[in-house]
Amino acid sequence: GQNIDQPTEMTATEGAIVQINCTYQTSGFNGLFWYQQHAGEAPTFLSYNVLDGLEEKGRFSSFLSRSKGYSYLLLKELQMKDSASYLCAGTNNAGNMLTFGGGTRLMVKP
Amino acid sequence: DAGVIQSPRHEVTEMGQEVTLRCKPISGHDYLFWYRQTMMRGLELLIYFNNNVPIDDSGMPEDRFSAKMPNASFSTLKIQPSEPRDSAVYFCASSTGGFQPQHFGDGTRLSIL
């Protein structure tokens, strides 16, 4: 199979840093995407990694280790509006097909 | 530039009825994806098209589900007959492929009574 695992829920404080982990079976995936989904809305693209290492985009960074089947999304300077679900998704070799994990529901508290 | 457009936004119908969901991808996107999202199963890929041709339909639950893409700007997902367990949010997404992000429509919230 192509299991993708991430924690179900996390809680963090406004202004803090939070790291959301994602692990997956290394065979069959060739990259990893992160999406944000607010309740009742569509998923929106945040970041992706095809190569090992860190990709930084403003307050959001994503890291990938392909040999370890491990990725994380780092959110800095948390804001209340960051309360949402964060979905990691592995891609097939061609990069055109995504398999999503169950999502991590992040609650940011004052 | 317009995003992915889905219709209807909400659909409530009785068990046994035919349901048709519609999607217009972003112009220039060669790939179109249909997903279903439920609390229990998360976001699941049902089928995807490349240049209007179905490439992978292994996620389609059963023969009651069918999808078509008659041209580059329109796709339908049909459920016939519908059952209560089909209740979910159905998303359509499009992309240019090759590790480019998929852009999602607002979804259709489907309730089968």
Side-chain angles (χ1 to χ4, degrees), chain A residues 44-96:
Chain A
T44 56
F45 167 73
L46 286 178
S47 182
Y48 81 95
N49 299 71
V50 179
L51 301 176
D52 289 355
L54 190 68
E55 290 284 337
E56 298 189 77
K57 294 178 71 173
R59 294 190 300 114
F60 296 81
S61 303
S62 59
F63 172 84
L64 178 66
S65 169
R66 289 173 296 171
S67 62
K68 295 181 180 178
Y70 169 67
S71 174
Y72 66 73
L73 180 70
L74 196 70
L75 291 77
K76 304 175 188 174
E77 301 169 16
L78 280 173
Q79 302 174 10
M80 298 299 291
K81 67 177 183 179
D82 296 330
S83 293
S85 288
Y86 292 86
L87 308 171
C88 67
T91 76
N92 62 347
N93 286 337
N96 53 27

Side-chain angles (χ1 to χ4, degrees), chain A residues 11-67:
Chain A
T11 303
T13 305
E14 189 177 16
I17 299 173
V18 71
Q19 178 175 311
I20 302 174
N21 295 326
C22 175
T23 58
Y24 62 94
Q25 289 185 304
T26 55
S27 60
F29 289 132
N30 202 28
L32 206 95
F33 280 69
W34 284 95
Y35 281 77
Q36 179 190 59
Q37 186 177 25
H38 285 98
E41 298 183 8
T44 56
F45 167 73
L46 286 178
S47 182
Y48 81 95
N49 299 71
V50 179
L51 301 176
D52 289 355
L54 190 68
E55 290 284 337
E56 298 189 77
K57 294 178 71 173
R59 294 190 300 114
F60 296 81
S61 303
S62 59
F63 172 84
L64 178 66
S65 169
R66 289 173 296 171
S67 62

Side-chain angles (χ1 to χ4, degrees), chain A residues 35 37 42 48 91 94-97, chain B residues 31 33 37 48 98-99 101-102 105:
Chain A
Y35 281 77
Q37 186 177 25
Y48 81 95
T91 76
N96 53 27
M97 181 175 159
Chain B
Y31 287 84
F33 307 83
Q37 188 172 38
Y48 81 95
F99 297 101
Q102 293 182 19

